[in-house]
Amino acid sequence: MSSYTTPPPSPYGTTSSGLTTEDRNLGTIAHVTPLVLMLVSGGLAGFIGSLVVYLYAKDRGAAARRYAAGALNVQISVAIAAAISWVLIIVLIGFITLPLVMLFGIVVHAVGALNANKGEPFDPPLTIRFVS
């Protein structure tokens, strides 16, 4: 006879943070997809990845929507800063600011993916909230 009074918790249900595995996975995908596309395309296709993941995840739950919106906001902010940096290349300042903008996007997406995977909330720093 078993000494358990209740069955052990399922490893596939909700986590200690209250998020389902699907929410955590979608949050991780929302940040990893634009990160990979940014690296492969030199920063041009990350926005497309963020938009596709947002359109897919926006109706999947509040947490998945929040992570996807955060990733899309990072990409929009990075795109604006990169456009400004391209203009500033004329006066040679853009050669410094453009790599910094790309590095910022990489770091924020990496941290966002790690937080999403752990089920922790993540509010991207230094980004403008275009999508909520």
Side-chain angles (χ1 to χ4, degrees):
M1 187 147 160
S2 175
S3 63
Y4 290 115
T5 56
T6 59
S10 171
Y12 302 107
T14 59
T15 62
S16 61
S17 64
L19 297 179
T20 64
T21 304
E22 181 183 12
D23 287 338
R24 291 187 308 122
N25 288 342
L26 282 173
T28 303
I29 290 168
H31 284 285
V32 170
T33 302
L35 174 64
V36 170
L37 290 175
M38 258 177 51
L39 293 173
V40 170
S41 70
L44 300 175
F47 175 76
I48 296 168
S50 290
L51 183 61
V52 168
V53 172
Y54 176 76
L55 291 174
Y56 176 77
K58 71 178 183 173
D59 298 326
R60 301 281 179 184
R65 180 184 179 97
R66 195 170 32 250
Y67 285 123
L72 185 57
N73 286 331
V74 169
Q75 281 304 123
I76 293 171
S77 298
V78 166
I80 291 169
I84 293 169
S85 294
W86 278 107
V87 172
L88 290 176
I89 284 180
I90 296 170
V91 292
L92 302 178
I93 297 171
F95 288 111
I96 297 169
T97 59
L98 187 59
L100 291 175
V101 166
M102 291 301 141
L103 181 64
F104 170 77
I106 290 167
V107 169
V108 170
H109 279 305
V111 171
L114 291 174
N115 284 351
N117 194 27
K118 293 178 191 173
E120 297 174 355
F122 180 66
D123 188 25
L126 303 173
T127 57
I128 304 167
R129 290 190 178 268
F130 292 103
V131 181
S132 58

